[in-house]
Amino acid sequence: MANHGEIEATGTILKEEGNGFFVVKLDAPKDHTCRCRASGRLTSRKIRLLQGDRVSVVLSTYDISKGRITYRNPATT
């Protein structure tokens, strides 16, 4: 559940920058990319995030170029 002052969006991981940061291309604002970090739950459960994965992102209202990855969507076949 999102707190006040956060924007939820979905997107695709374009590349891994290292140090736990990822570049994510968002679906809703067309052609918008942001730099995101995996949330604590993803890192504690050792969930792998790879290039091309669909993810759910929570963006800050103060700076929409930064965000946090909260969920890795399952692959559809």
Side-chain angles (χ1 to χ4, degrees):
M1 190 165 168
N3 294 334
H4 295 288
E6 293 181 342
I7 302 167
E8 293 185 17
T10 58
T12 306
I13 296 177
L14 292 181
K15 69 176 183 173
E16 181 178 356
E17 287 191 339
N19 251 5
F21 285 98
F22 300 90
V23 176
V24 177
K25 182 178 180 185
L26 301 179
D27 296 337
K30 198 125 179 139
D31 297 332
H32 180 72
T33 59
C34 62
R35 189 171 184 229
C36 298
R37 186 170 198 124
S39 69
R41 186 184 300 175
L42 292 175
T43 55
S44 68
R45 296 193 176 144
K46 297 181 178 144
I47 296 175
R48 293 262 183 187
L49 297 171
L50 302 172
Q51 184 176 353
D53 284 346
R54 301 275 304 150
V55 292
S56 297
V57 177
V58 175
L59 301 172
S60 169
T61 55
Y62 299 106
D63 187 6
I64 61 170
S65 66
K66 297 177 184 172
R68 185 175 69 241
I69 299 173
T70 56
Y71 184 72
R72 179 179 173 260
N73 296 328
T76 57
T77 56

